[in-house]
């Protein structure tokens, strides 16, 4: 399931994280420009990622916390590698800390990015309510999903090349990844 704004359809990394890339839709332009002051949303790619989790993350307790930490570390490693590769080539890019919703590279804003709303807009994912929280439902995994996003101002081919290079680095560090 991919939106009409996709420039990279849903793709799976070697360790099973899904990602896609989308031209920033009109309804996200104001949010993107609030997230990244001084950066135009023209030409901005939104790159949502989803990791399948071993359990429904709506649950609470130590096993859920351990799973969230594992997914957080895996995303941060991936996103940092991709952004470092892109930035070395002079590309503007950033990624979101899934815990706080804040940008990790350009820290000029305290604007919180809405991962759930982005997946609804970009990939037409459904949501459900759990208490006061809106929870995204992956079409295959349900609520056993850990979403996180990156952003870049580059072509789809440049982004794909950076992701491929990051995957090689991750595999070299951890052949089991």
């Amino acid at each position: 399931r991919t939106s009409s704004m996709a420039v990279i359809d849903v793709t799976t990394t070697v360790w099973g994280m899904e990602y896609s890339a989308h031209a920033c839709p009109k309804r996200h332009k104001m949010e993107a420009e609030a997230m990244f002051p001084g950066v135009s949303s023209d030409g901005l790619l939104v790159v949502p990622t989803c990791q399948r989790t071993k359990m429904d993350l709506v649950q609470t307790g130590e096993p859920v916390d351990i799973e969230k930490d594992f997914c957080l570390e895996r995303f941060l490693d991936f996103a940092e590698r991709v952004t470092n590769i892109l930035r070395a080539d002079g590309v503007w890019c950033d990624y979101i800390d899934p815990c706080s919703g804040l940008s990790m590279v350009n820290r000029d804003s305290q604007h919180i990015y809405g991962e759930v709303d982005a997946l609804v807009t970009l990939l037409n994912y459904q949501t459900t309510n759990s208490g006061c929280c809106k929870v995204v439902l992956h079409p295959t995994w349900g609520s056993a999903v850990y979403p996180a996003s990156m952003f870049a101002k580059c072509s789809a081919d440049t982004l794909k090349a950076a992701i491929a290079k990051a995957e090689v680095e991750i595999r070299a560090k951890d052949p089991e990844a």
Side-chain angles (χ1 to χ4, degrees), residues 8 45 153-160:
I8 300 174
L45 296 180
K153 291 190 79 158
C154 63
S155 70
D157 288 342
T158 298
L159 178 62
K160 282 184 199 175

Side-chain angles (χ1 to χ4, degrees), residues 8-161:
I8 300 174
D9 288 336
V10 175
T11 304
T12 305
T13 65
V14 290
W15 63 90
M17 178 169 42
E18 291 183 350
Y19 70 91
S20 54
H22 309 260
C24 187
K26 285 182 185 174
R27 67 169 34 173
H28 278 242
K29 287 187 182 276
M30 283 180 54
E31 182 176 16
E33 289 175 359
M35 282 291 310
F36 311 114
V39 177
S40 168
S41 60
D42 294 337
L44 182 67
L45 296 180
V46 183
V47 185
T49 71
C50 290
Q51 294 178 71
R52 184 177 192 167
T53 58
K54 295 176 185 170
M55 65 208 60
D56 180 339
L57 294 187
V58 174
Q59 300 174 30
T60 57
E62 188 175 353
V64 173
D65 292 341
I66 291 169
E67 183 71 1
K68 285 180 180 177
D69 288 345
F70 175 77
C71 290
L72 172 65
E73 293 303 319
R74 190 160 48 181
F75 171 74
L76 293 177
D77 182 41
F78 173 74
E80 185 175 2
R81 288 173 189 276
V82 172
T83 56
N84 286 345
I85 291 163
L86 290 170
R87 291 176 77 203
D89 288 338
V91 172
W92 182 94
C93 52
D94 206 332
Y95 58 101
I96 303 299
D97 175 352
C99 294
S100 68
L102 298 172
S103 60
M104 294 294 290
V105 177
N106 303 283
R107 298 179 181 240
D108 298 333
S109 171
Q110 292 299 305
H111 189 83
I112 305 296
Y113 184 70
E115 297 286 357
V116 171
D117 292 336
L119 287 169
V120 168
T121 300
L122 299 171
L123 291 166
N124 301 313
Y125 285 5
Q126 300 299 307
T127 63
T128 188
N129 289 321
S130 176
C132 62
C133 295
K134 198 166 28 168
V135 177
V136 70
L137 297 174
H138 186 280
T140 306
W141 310 331
S143 58
V145 61
Y146 189 87
S149 295
M150 300 185 302
F151 298 83
K153 291 190 79 158
C154 63
S155 70
D157 288 342
T158 298
L159 178 62
K160 282 184 199 175

